[in-house]
Amino acid sequence: QLSDQQKMSESPLSRFRGVYLPPALHPLNKTLVKGGKWKDVDSTQEKRRSFLHDFCKKYNSRKQPRTHLVHLVSRIYVEDRHKVLYCEVPKAGCSNWKRVLMVLNGLAASAHNISHDDVHYGKHLRKLDSYDLKGIYTRLNTYTKTIFVRDPMERLVSAFRDKFEHPNSYYHPVFGKAIIKRYRHNANEEALKTGSGVKFKEFIQYLLDSHRPVGMDIHWEQVSKLCYPCLINYDFIGKFETLEEDANYFLQLVGAPAELKFPKFKDRHSSDERTSAEVVRQYLKELSKEERQLTYDFYYLDYLMFNYTSP
């Protein structure tokens, strides 16, 4: 029962089935970059791009992804004015990126006065899967596609601290209750009722359980499954560790207004210490050696793809 539109778009869609090797690495269009101060950032960017491309060539020769195009692009935000596609990786600067996209799109004058709720629940930005197949394919081929990633353990610990160490009306009752019920022996009534106070070790038991009592969540899902970096040929790979300079260089590349700079502020729990390598070390101490290894294995592809050092 294919519509004419789907029949028309069948050829682009078919290339996302079976073995799919990423197309040749297109050079970045740097005509809008002004001044020589971006030389080092640009050099780092080129290394990341070619590293990911080479990795995907090797990896994809062994794998046969069978994923529908619409699912592949379900986490990608669209900014049509500057022709930007941004794949959202939670806990890697995504709230401030969405603020920037809203400014680029003319939906706000400044990134600094957009609230957290407006960013995440305002439905101001369109996602790529809301377009028809032709619209999706055209944008994938002609827009500048970016992804911002973070050291997988830091991202994981940051997500745990944010969702389970602060009051949360969704994560405590939905995830917390199920985690405590399943992994805490002799849990008291209060903990079972509220789902508050999940320990990091219990959270990891849930993460590693192939029969999880609740499903996965985008805040700790692997980047390889959120953004499909070996199937979608990202033009720009930013890292949380160099977030500001990467983001501001990217804004130059796409011709953003000169006054628009990536915001520096921490989106929530601003008084908390940022999740650093040292903070991560303290959390990992709560795990057995085997749990640490299995957690690393869980994020193994993310470590490899983005050239992060194993902890």
Side-chain angles (χ1 to χ4, degrees):
Q1 296 180 329
L2 283 175
S3 67
D4 290 344
Q5 179 122 41
Q6 283 171 306
K7 280 177 192 154
M8 253 171 51
S9 308
E10 187 54 26
S11 56
L13 183 61
S14 64
R15 66 161 61 198
F16 285 87
R17 298 201 182 111
V19 176
Y20 173 73
L21 294 175
L25 200 57
H26 297 300
L28 270 174
N29 179 357
K30 298 167 189 173
T31 51
L32 298 172
V33 177
K34 295 176 180 68
K37 69 172 187 169
W38 301 107
K39 207 171 144 191
D40 290 347
V41 188
D42 177 64
S43 164
T44 301
Q45 187 52 226
E46 291 302 342
K47 283 177 191 153
R48 286 178 194 162
R49 277 159 45 87
S50 59
F51 183 90
L52 178 61
H53 189 262
D54 291 347
F55 168 80
C56 290
K57 266 206 302 210
K58 282 182 215 151
Y59 171 73
N60 265 354
S61 62
R62 299 195 306 272
K63 293 278 178 184
Q64 294 201 4
R66 297 201 176 276
T67 309
H68 196 284
L69 177 61
V70 174
H71 177 68
L72 289 180
V73 301
S74 62
R75 306 257 31 112
I76 295 180
Y77 284 88
V78 180
E79 198 285 287
D80 281 316
R81 281 187 177 186
H82 298 79
K83 300 193 168 180
V84 171
L85 297 180
Y86 162 71
C87 188
E88 176 188 27
V89 175
K91 311 312 297 174
C94 73
S95 300
N96 280 339
W97 257 119
K98 286 195 248 183
R99 287 183 173 95
V100 166
L101 293 178
M102 285 168 72
V103 174
L104 285 174
N105 213 12
L107 297 166
S110 158
H112 291 271
N113 46 21
I114 307 169
S115 73
H116 178 86
D117 284 0
D118 247 5
V119 165
H120 291 286
Y121 311 115
K123 303 276 185 274
H124 303 292
L125 298 166
R126 265 186 94 170
K127 284 187 179 167
L128 193 50
D129 63 355
S130 69
Y131 294 82
D132 62 22
L133 285 174
K134 187 168 179 282
I136 292 173
Y137 194 62
T138 303
R139 285 169 178 80
L140 278 176
N141 269 341
T142 57
Y143 284 22
T144 307
K145 302 176 288 298
T146 185
I147 181 174
F148 272 70
V149 298
R150 185 176 187 176
D151 174 281
M153 290 293 188
E154 277 189 28
R155 189 176 152 244
L156 177 68
V157 171
S158 175
F160 172 77
R161 294 174 75 200
D162 180 23
K163 304 306 176 195
F164 295 103
E165 292 186 350
H166 294 274
N168 192 299
S169 60
Y170 172 71
Y171 284 90
H172 291 201
V174 173
F175 286 87
K177 278 160 80 166
I179 289 172
I180 289 168
K181 185 178 176 187
R182 176 114 162 198
Y183 307 106
R184 186 179 298 177
H185 306 300
N186 310 319
N188 65 38
E189 222 172 296
E190 179 68 9
L192 289 167
K193 198 172 85 181
T194 64
S196 298
V198 169
K199 295 180 172 66
F200 186 62
K201 190 178 177 78
E202 294 166 339
F203 173 64
I204 295 301
Q205 286 175 299
Y206 144 79
L207 184 79
L208 301 175
D209 188 345
S210 56
H211 303 290
R212 293 182 197 98
V214 267
M216 273 302 278
D217 182 85
I218 60 166
H219 291 85
W220 46 85
E221 180 67 277
Q222 300 104 316
V223 177
S224 53
K225 289 185 181 172
L226 286 173
C227 296
Y228 298 95
C230 281
L231 294 177
I232 292 166
N233 211 29
Y234 289 98
D235 302 293
F236 191 94
I237 298 137
K239 289 196 170 182
F240 186 80
E241 294 76 11
T242 48
L243 178 60
E244 270 177 63
E245 56 186 26
D246 288 351
N248 287 326
Y249 178 51
F250 180 78
L251 289 173
Q252 286 259 319
L253 283 171
V254 298
E259 66 278 7
L260 178 60
K261 299 286 182 280
F262 193 79
K264 292 181 182 182
F265 60 83
K266 194 171 187 288
D267 190 47
R268 297 203 304 165
H269 317 309
S270 52
S271 59
D272 285 8
E273 182 188 354
R274 273 199 188 271
T275 303
S276 61
E278 186 45 51
V279 169
V280 169
R281 206 168 288 125
Q282 298 309 314
Y283 279 82
L284 292 182
K285 279 180 184 172
E286 296 173 32
L287 308 181
S288 68
K289 195 176 176 185
E290 186 191 16
E291 285 168 330
R292 288 199 292 269
Q293 181 63 48
L294 289 170
T295 307
Y296 169 71
D297 294 345
F298 186 82
Y299 292 106
Y300 182 59
L301 261 189
D302 288 0
Y303 273 101
L304 288 186
M305 275 182 180
F306 302 108
N307 203 14
Y308 279 110
T309 314
S310 57

